[in-house]
Amino acid sequence: MESKHLWQLISFYLSTTLALLRHLVLHILTLNQSPFIIKFMDLILSVYFRLCNLTPCAVDLDDQTTIHFWVTNHRRFDRPSLVMIHGYGGNPLWQFVYQVGPLSRRFNLYIPDLLFFGKSHSKSPFRSEFFQAKCLSDGLKRIGVDRFSVYAISYGGFVAYRMAEMWPDAVEKVAIVSSGLSYTDEQRDQQLRTIGRHPSEILVPKKPDDLRLLVNLSTFKQGTLNWVPDFLLRQFITLMYDHCRKEKIELADYLVKKKADPNLHVLTQETLIIWGDQDKVFPLELAYNLQRHLGKNSRLEIIKNVGHAANLESPDELNKLIFSFVIGECGFEYAETHYHLIYGLGRSYK
């Protein structure tokens, strides 16, 4: 009898354990099919933004277009206003996570989602950076921001440049990071041949390997995502790129197809150009092109051993440059070893 009861007890525990394992496997398979983990991480980042004295708000420009912002909770009039414009690699939560803390202590921040990214959307057929710029400017006016400086990275730089061009009385200073504004058709075609794929296939990835390629192109250190399992990358793609995928592709196609502008407007604002010396998306020669085009009102700063994504690879140096440029003094403590060499048109950092 005792052996019979023992066997029943063992059977009970075995069946219970198997049932739990089965439930766990089914749960994992369900997670693989939905962006649950990435959504949770996105939520954590949004909580962090709130801890940085920012709150989300949505501005309806009309019955077609809504712009979503992260805005400073309590505006301090002794602090300058800074608009931060992201690029293609996700929403602002992910792109500015290493910068928003320090910058929020020095500026009144206004961080929009560009149209078709994050929670900003439009039924409009327009895909130009001019339309993006107009929508952001209209949104800022609606929330009472009439004067501001702007810091923008990559695709966001195209938008920031047009904002400064069209509203010079509103935009005080411009900081542009790794944005290929001043290129020739020949330079663009050569870069496309070097990359070997259409930009929309890389900027709007469909598969984990596409996302790995995007990150490898954007960073100096290679293999950053090699350790990340495919199912997590698929979740990231689902959350960041599947939403408005068609519109994101159209934005990229617009930039690729448009002819280079030999008469690119020369900004009247002081402009800081920041570039990683190992940028494989927009090569360093484009930084020199832009600095020569803008002339005496511009300054070029080159950060050594950094690729296209300086906001992720070198956020401290980037924060320091932005602060000193907009405020006019050093607001972060840095060792003298950060200053490496002044050469040509720019200063190099390592």
Side-chain angles (χ1 to χ4, degrees):
M1 286 293 292
E2 290 183 2
S3 60
K4 181 179 179 180
H5 286 305
L6 180 61
W7 174 246
Q8 288 176 340
L9 186 62
I10 293 173
S11 298
F12 170 77
Y13 280 113
L14 282 174
S15 61
T16 302
T17 302
L18 288 172
L20 290 173
L21 286 173
R22 179 175 175 273
H23 178 75
L24 180 62
V25 169
L26 289 173
H27 186 60
I28 292 173
L29 290 174
T30 301
L31 288 181
N32 282 341
Q33 296 169 2
S34 68
F36 173 81
I37 296 176
I38 300 300
K39 278 186 175 180
F40 179 72
M41 294 172 66
D42 201 63
L43 176 62
I44 295 299
L45 292 177
S46 68
V47 170
Y48 174 63
F49 268 50
R50 288 178 182 273
L51 292 175
C52 294
N53 194 37
L54 298 171
T55 191
C57 74
V59 180
D60 294 327
L61 302 183
D62 50 38
D63 60 355
Q64 287 193 317
T65 302
T66 297
I67 299 292
H68 179 269
F69 289 92
W70 284 93
V71 303
T72 296
N73 281 328
H74 302 290
R75 189 182 309 181
R76 293 264 304 266
F77 291 102
D78 59 337
R79 293 180 180 179
S81 295
L82 181 67
V83 176
M84 301 170 64
I85 307 179
H86 65 89
Y88 247 87
N91 64 37
L93 296 174
W94 295 78
Q95 292 201 14
F96 295 134
V97 60
Y98 298 125
Q99 297 186 267
V100 70
L103 293 179
S104 68
R105 294 191 289 272
R106 305 289 181 169
F107 299 99
N108 296 313
L109 293 183
Y110 302 92
I111 310 176
D113 293 345
L114 287 171
L115 286 175
F116 312 118
F117 295 85
K119 297 178 181 178
S120 293
H121 54 85
S122 177
K123 296 178 182 178
S124 168
F126 299 121
R127 299 291 180 263
S128 72
E129 72 273 24
F130 290 95
F131 183 66
Q132 292 268 17
K134 182 181 184 306
C135 290
L136 292 195
S137 296
D138 288 349
L140 288 166
K141 290 176 184 175
R142 296 283 185 91
I143 58 177
V145 184
D146 297 318
R147 293 281 290 170
F148 56 89
S149 293
V150 60
Y151 147 55
I153 58 177
S154 193
Y155 174 66
F158 289 84
V159 179
Y161 199 95
R162 298 308 182 185
M163 291 174 70
E165 173 187 350
M166 294 188 287
W167 293 279
D169 293 334
V171 181
E172 297 177 310
K173 293 184 179 182
V174 182
I176 291 177
V177 180
S178 300
S179 186
L181 284 150
S182 183
Y183 60 83
T184 65
D185 290 330
E186 292 76 16
Q187 287 172 323
R188 179 195 58 201
D189 294 342
Q190 176 58 44
Q191 182 64 7
L192 291 177
R193 286 193 294 270
T194 300
I195 294 175
R197 296 181 63 182
H198 193 280
S200 64
E201 296 177 6
I202 301 171
L203 292 173
V204 193
K206 288 184 178 180
K207 301 176 295 186
D209 285 344
D210 296 338
L211 184 54
R212 289 190 178 96
L213 175 59
L214 174 61
V215 172
N216 285 336
L217 280 172
S218 300
T219 56
F220 174 56
K221 295 180 180 179
Q222 298 297 288
T224 305
L225 294 185
N226 287 352
W227 62 273
V228 181
D230 283 359
F231 83 89
L232 275 180
L233 298 182
R234 281 193 291 269
Q235 289 191 16
F236 188 85
I237 290 169
T238 297
L239 185 64
M240 297 294 165
Y241 298 105
D242 286 351
H243 172 65
C244 294
R245 174 176 290 275
K246 174 178 174 290
E247 290 81 0
K248 289 185 179 76
I249 291 173
E250 290 170 352
L251 292 174
D253 287 344
Y254 173 87
L255 286 181
V256 172
K257 292 176 181 177
K258 66 178 290 190
K259 289 289 185 181
D261 183 4
N263 300 311
L264 183 68
H265 179 79
V266 177
L267 299 182
T268 58
Q269 296 94 337
E270 289 183 60
T271 303
L272 175 64
I273 305 163
I274 307 172
W275 227 270
D277 70 334
Q278 301 297 320
D279 195 326
K280 297 187 289 290
V281 177
F282 293 127
L284 187 56
E285 64 179 312
L286 298 184
Y288 289 107
N289 288 353
L290 184 58
Q291 202 279 333
R292 282 191 291 266
H293 180 77
L294 292 175
K296 62 181 181 180
N297 276 343
S298 66
R299 188 173 93 238
L300 172 60
E301 301 283 355
I302 301 168
I303 307 178
K304 294 188 70 69
N305 297 323
V306 167
H308 184 68
N311 54 308
L312 300 179
E313 291 193 292
S314 191
D316 292 338
E317 284 81 359
L318 200 51
N319 285 345
K320 186 250 173 205
L321 287 169
I322 291 167
F323 184 87
S324 61
F325 170 65
V326 176
I327 301 293
E329 60 184 81
C330 183
F332 296 87
E333 293 192 8
Y334 278 76
E336 289 297 323
T337 53
H338 279 88
Y339 294 94
H340 180 56
L341 175 68
I342 298 177
Y343 64 90
L345 298 173
R347 177 179 294 153
S348 174
Y349 286 79
K350 77 171 185 178

